[in-house]
Amino acid sequence: MTTATDRFVTLDTVRGVAVMGILLLNIIAFAMPAPAYYNPAAYGGSSGADLAIWLFNFVLFDGKMRGLFSFLFGASTLLVIDGASAKGENAAIIHYSRMIWLLVFGLVHLWLIWWGDILNNYAIIGMIAFLFRDARPRTMVLVGTVLLIVQAMIVTMLPLMLQAAQGQPADPSMHEMVEGLTHGFGKPSDAWLAEQVTLHRGSWLDIATDRFSEARFGPITGLFQYGWETLAYMLFGMAAFRTGLLTGAWERRRYVRWAAIGFAVSLPIYGLLAAWMIASDFALVTVVTAVMPATTFLRPFAILAWACLIILLMRPGGPLTTRVAAAGRMAFSNYLGTSLICTTLFYGYGLGWYGDLSRATVYLVVLAIWALMLLWSKPWLERFAYGPLEWLWRSLARGKIQPMRRTAQQ
């Protein structure tokens, strides 16, 4: 059996691992041109240690940490709703106020700081997820599965359109589509890559102007492109919260069984997909197929396995678990703080490291930021009730300044 305090520690610990794990993939998007995120042959090195790092991340972490974060968002949504209802507050007003302000934070992050923001999508999808707050876990899983089928149908169109474009090379619309996918998944020209490096080593105004021109409609297009998957993950997380998976209420052998099933289903196929991409020399159609439709139904198994493994390994009261849980309690501050640190390190208005580090070397930055998260989160929460941005978000959502310093009861 677990206590209420243990349940919060479990959620916070899984969230802490997720927010740290997201940086394993996002660091490439901070440090290099966009296609390097999916395609190591595009930039940053695709042999030796660089290839090994890509392989390790693709098989174990790519999409899984983001998905785990989405699971936790769904679980936290129910936690807030349940807490508001228990206090006699209007749960709908509390929830939608939080989502509206999260959308504001997300848009500021997207347009003014970094193009890879996920908060705006979470805010919009979170408004929809509220409608399922009273659904049975079985219904949540069923609806989530249907949403993944829709997502799979959408992303399957990408490689099909690429193949069709190969038969119509003179069609301007097809050429534009291929060029767009190349800039996201393929191996763009040296000239285009050089332009990206020059841009991101420039001024904040130049970078922000370009980012806004590219991403001004990002929240809308993102909703239709991958919102189905995001909502599915939130619903899975809500079901995992209601059934006790994410609160540590399951028996240990049940966690062991589902961790084993999840990894047994996902890891071998991820390994085969990685081998296929390497054998093709990271050809565009292969990469798009492997990282989009081929993994749609694999990721939930891997995410479930990671959640179970983290809960099995955590030790409530242990020094590492305590620090990771603190980082999870401050996930909002740590997520946005990471963007501020990384853009300062890599962009031209900071140190200007953009495009300088290899894929393997850039992970020294990850280790340093992880250390910062673990070092500052716990001492902060020993003095204050919330992380700085969590406090700001809560104050804005509730329309009044919230008490910041810890009380004896906290």
Side-chain angles (χ1 to χ4, degrees), residues 118-191:
I118 59 172
L119 300 180
N120 72 87
N121 188 248
Y122 278 15
I124 297 171
I125 298 300
M127 295 180 191
I128 302 172
F130 181 82
L131 304 176
F132 295 89
R133 65 195 181 282
D134 296 324
R136 295 184 301 172
R138 186 184 299 273
T139 301
M140 295 174 181
V141 173
L142 177 61
V143 174
T145 302
V146 172
L147 289 168
L148 284 185
I149 293 173
V150 175
Q151 183 71 54
M153 293 170 62
I154 291 172
V155 295
T156 298
M157 294 300 295
L158 296 177
L160 293 178
M161 288 190 298
L162 271 176
Q163 292 176 337
Q166 291 176 347
Q168 305 177 56
D171 187 328
S173 62
M174 288 294 188
H175 176 76
E176 184 177 351
M177 184 268 294
V178 172
E179 185 177 61
L181 288 174
T182 299
H183 293 166
F185 300 89
K187 293 181 278 188
S189 67
D190 291 341

Side-chain angles (χ1 to χ4, degrees), residues 2-173:
T2 59
T3 66
T5 301
D6 289 337
R7 289 195 291 271
F8 283 110
V9 170
T10 301
L11 286 170
D12 290 337
T13 303
V14 178
R15 189 184 298 107
V17 173
V19 75
M20 294 173 68
I22 284 172
L23 185 57
L24 286 169
L25 288 307
N26 282 356
I27 192 66
I28 302 301
F30 283 118
M32 302 174 192
Y37 185 95
Y38 291 112
N39 193 331
Y43 204 93
S46 58
S47 62
D50 297 320
L51 181 62
I53 286 288
W54 170 82
L55 179 62
F56 181 75
N57 281 330
F58 176 74
V59 173
L60 288 177
F61 300 108
D62 182 33
K64 293 83 164 174
M65 295 296 105
R66 172 180 54 82
L68 189 59
F69 206 51
S70 303
F71 269 48
L72 268 295
F73 192 91
S76 297
T77 295
L78 288 183
L79 195 62
V80 171
I81 291 170
D82 291 350
S85 299
K87 296 176 183 177
E89 298 173 332
N90 188 312
I93 291 176
I94 295 294
H95 175 76
Y96 283 101
S97 295
R98 284 169 54 84
M99 293 303 102
I100 289 170
W101 280 108
L102 183 63
L103 179 59
V104 172
F105 278 110
L107 293 178
V108 170
H109 184 220
L110 173 66
W111 292 335
L112 302 183
I113 301 173
W114 184 54
W115 63 268
D117 173 75
I118 59 172
L119 300 180
N120 72 87
N121 188 248
Y122 278 15
I124 297 171
I125 298 300
M127 295 180 191
I128 302 172
F130 181 82
L131 304 176
F132 295 89
R133 65 195 181 282
D134 296 324
R136 295 184 301 172
R138 186 184 299 273
T139 301
M140 295 174 181
V141 173
L142 177 61
V143 174
T145 302
V146 172
L147 289 168
L148 284 185
I149 293 173
V150 175
Q151 183 71 54
M153 293 170 62
I154 291 172
V155 295
T156 298
M157 294 300 295
L158 296 177
L160 293 178
M161 288 190 298
L162 271 176
Q163 292 176 337
Q166 291 176 347
Q168 305 177 56
D171 187 328
S173 62

